[in-house]
Amino acid sequence: MEDPTDIQNFCTNYGFYQEYAVNQQLQEMNKQQEEMNVHAAHYAGQLSRGKIKLNDLETGSEVDEVPFLSLAPFELLRNNPRRRKNTEGVKVRDVNGGANVHQKLSATQIMRLAGERFIQFSSNKFININNLLHPYGSSFSDLSPEDNQDVELAQILLAAAEKVSDQQYDRARKFLSQCQLLASNTGNPVQRAVFYFAQALGERIDRETGKLMPKICTETDELNSICVASRFHASYVALHQEVPFSQIVHFTGIQAILESVATKPKVHLIDFLIRTGVQWASLIQAAAERKDNPIEHMKITVIESVNKERVIETGKNQLTEDHFDIKPDEGVVIHAAFFLRAMICVPNCLETAMRVVRRLQPSLMVVSEVEANLNSPLFVNRFIDSLFYYSALFDCLEDVMKRDDQHRMTLEVSYGGGIRNIVGNEGEERVIRSVNLDVWRSFFRKFGMEEVKLSNTCLYQANLIIQQFACRSSCSVDVNGGSFMVSWKGTPIYSTSAWKFH
């Protein structure tokens, strides 16, 4: 009988495991796209359910209807109201003249507006730089001059990505040269995001044309990329003090763990990737102050640390349940924050870890992850998803840090490294990977786990944390099924979920 948890049998349209995601349907789609040279199809996706008609951008001739995979990147723009909110900006009254003027659009709103207009434009006209500059004339009049320029810059970036996906590298370089003139790593969020994405596209071209030799990554490279936080410690602390993302994740997890062991006198907490572990001081304090059913004994087992040498050493060993020394009278809880995504590029290790978790039979497993699908086997899907996600991060830094802040510059260089790996690499070289909550749901269910609804107390605590920050109007916690999503201006950044075995 086929094992439902066999890693080779688990495959989604999101490309959870690239090695097994390119199925017959995907291969057939790619073949049709190559034969018909339908460049705009990469971005247009399913403008309506089923099939669509497009114009060939190079010849202007109409092509036959072409089937596409569902959930194409820009379908989000049309079918997801929450992600589309405030796309056109918020109008406010000018205190001097009384006329309505637009507030500055966020970087993600700019990217989505550019994407929508790129779809409209590319399905009717031949793409070149001159056409991309002011292609709609008066339709841009409702934007501020800066937003107008940002939309145009984002369109040029999309055109470059589309040419890269079609291996038209000379055309792509022309668009990238224009991006380099207009983008800047010291400008506004859109200019900064385009700066790093253009870099990544340039590296991809160099790799695919043989100018940049591939570097084979080891199994611990993704873990080491997570450990980069130790080198940028001061900058991440500065961000931590301005934005409540990590606090929400940690304290929501602590509350869920406390509730799951409410009647347990002895608790064994297993922490995958502990980093500093400072959050567990709050858990210990809360457990000590519990009047009903006080916790008599708490044990914490650490699987990883941010120490590079220890991470590498741990990576050499095979994880088994014998490492944990579980006692029969202990209530076992597992906390995995941004750990499982590190093993997406090494699926055998991920499978081993989940089989061990299943044998431990925890009362609860709390999982926090990046809420973005940055692992699609289709380059253009992955490019669009990462563009939206990182644009939200660049926008966040714009709101909480000055443009010349060294912490901000350090953080953005770190983001740029992730962008280059996601966009510029394939196969074993691409070690920065993440999938969204729906994919994790399917994955955990394969191992016999069910989602546990996070309580109203968890939600209250999360919102209480947000209220302590100046950026509270931009950060939100949204309920998704039984789980939470931490968002920046409507764009999901992190998710926190809780799981138990049937």
Side-chain angles (χ1 to χ4, degrees), residues 83-90 103-114 147 150-151 188-190 388 391-396 398-399 474 488-491:
R83 288 178 179 257
R84 290 189 63 191
K85 64 182 181 181
N86 296 331
T87 300
E88 296 301 329
V90 179
Q103 288 183 349
K104 179 75 175 70
L105 294 179
S106 72
T108 305
Q109 290 168 345
I110 291 288
M111 296 302 180
R112 294 188 185 281
L113 181 58
D147 283 347
D150 288 345
V151 170
N188 66 35
V190 172
F388 290 161
S391 292
L393 295 183
F394 280 96
D395 187 79
C396 176
E398 173 79 357
D399 284 6
S474 298
W488 181 262
K489 297 181 181 178
T491 298

Side-chain angles (χ1 to χ4, degrees), residues 360-374:
L360 294 175
Q361 287 292 308
S363 302
L364 194 74
M365 180 176 178
V366 176
V367 177
S368 297
E369 284 294 343
V370 169
E371 182 52 29
N373 176 38
L374 308 181

Side-chain angles (χ1 to χ4, degrees), residues 179-219:
C179 287
Q180 291 165 357
L181 291 175
L182 302 174
S184 169
N185 64 343
T186 60
N188 66 35
V190 172
Q191 292 168 348
R192 291 176 184 230
V194 172
F195 175 86
Y196 287 106
F197 274 91
Q199 270 192 347
L201 287 174
E203 288 191 12
R204 186 180 182 91
I205 292 174
D206 289 343
R207 280 187 171 86
E208 295 190 359
T209 56
K211 292 184 178 180
L212 188 63
M213 297 304 294
K215 174 183 176 294
I216 303 300
C217 300
T218 67
E219 292 183 355

Side-chain angles (χ1 to χ4, degrees), residues 263-268 296-297 299 325-332:
T263 61
K264 302 288 185 181
K266 294 184 178 181
V267 176
H268 189 164
E296 302 171 1
H297 176 79
K299 180 166 61 178
D325 189 27
I326 304 297
K327 304 300 182 184
D329 58 345
E330 292 178 341
V332 178

